[in-house]
Amino acid sequence: MKKNSQLTRIVLYQNLGFLGIMAICYLDELLKLPMLIFSEHPFAFLYRRPTVEILLVLAVWFLVSTSTRRILERIRYLEKFMRVCSWCRKINYKGEWMPLEQFMRQGFDTPTTHGICTECLHKQQAVAEKVKEARKSAAT
C-alpha cells in the first residue's frame, strides 16, 4: 500500500507541474508580465501565442504522462514477484526473510513436510553409487 501511494503521488506531482506550466504561460500573456517589467507600452492580448504554447505543453504532458504510466505499471508488475534468496532459499514475505516452511504456514496456513522428487532421488542414488565404488577401489 505504501508503494502504491508513493507512485500515485509521483503522477499527481507531475500533473500539477504541467498544470502550473500551462497556467504560467496563460497568465504571462494575460498580465503582460514582460511588458510590466521592461516597458510601459501596452498592447492587445493575443490568444494565438499562449494557445500554441499551451498546446505544445499539452503534447509534452501527454508524452511524459504516457511514458510515466508505462514505467509505473512495469514497477508495479515487478514488485509483485516473490523474492527468494539464491543461496539459502529463504523467502521475503512482508519485509521479513523466512524459510519456505514458515512462509507456507504464515502466508497460506498450509502445513509442510519434506520429501524428495524423482529427479533428485536419481541424482542422490548416482552420487551414493560413486561413493561406494570409490570406497571399494580405495579398500583394494
Side-chain angles (χ1 to χ4, degrees):
M1 279 297 192
K2 188 176 183 181
K3 288 276 188 191
N4 197 15
S5 66
Q6 288 175 343
L7 298 178
T8 54
R9 242 186 296 151
I10 290 171
V11 173
L12 175 68
Y13 293 153
Q14 174 184 311
N15 291 340
L16 289 175
F18 275 103
L19 287 173
I21 290 171
M22 289 190 303
I24 288 171
C25 289
Y26 186 74
L27 288 175
D28 177 42
E29 192 66 33
L30 183 65
L31 300 176
K32 299 177 179 106
L33 292 178
M35 294 275 302
L36 292 174
I37 296 171
F38 300 114
S39 171
E40 294 182 11
H41 303 323
F43 61 90
F45 179 68
L46 302 173
Y47 292 99
R48 290 180 187 160
R49 183 172 160 220
T51 303
V52 170
E53 288 175 356
I54 289 173
L55 289 175
L56 288 174
V57 170
L58 280 172
V60 171
W61 183 6
F62 176 74
L63 293 173
V64 170
S65 180
T66 303
S67 64
T68 302
R69 187 175 300 114
R70 285 182 187 164
I71 290 169
L72 293 177
E73 286 173 2
R74 180 73 174 162
I75 289 172
R76 286 185 187 119
Y77 170 74
L78 292 174
E79 285 178 344
K80 291 178 185 177
F81 280 84
M82 182 184 305
R83 291 186 300 186
V84 178
C85 178
S86 300
W87 287 269
C88 67
R89 308 302 256 179
K90 287 185 179 176
I91 295 173
N92 187 347
Y93 180 65
K94 296 184 179 178
E96 181 183 344
W97 289 96
M98 62 183 66
L100 175 65
E101 294 83 8
Q102 184 180 353
F103 168 74
M104 294 299 283
R105 271 181 288 180
Q106 280 189 355
F108 304 106
D109 194 28
T110 303
T112 59
T113 187
H114 291 86
I116 188 165
C117 68
T118 54
E119 185 177 320
C120 291
L121 177 64
H122 295 304
K123 287 179 185 177
Q124 293 301 320
Q125 287 173 340
V127 169
E129 287 296 322
K130 286 181 184 177
V131 169
K132 284 181 185 178
E133 290 176 17
R135 283 185 185 167
K136 284 182 184 179
S137 64
T140 57

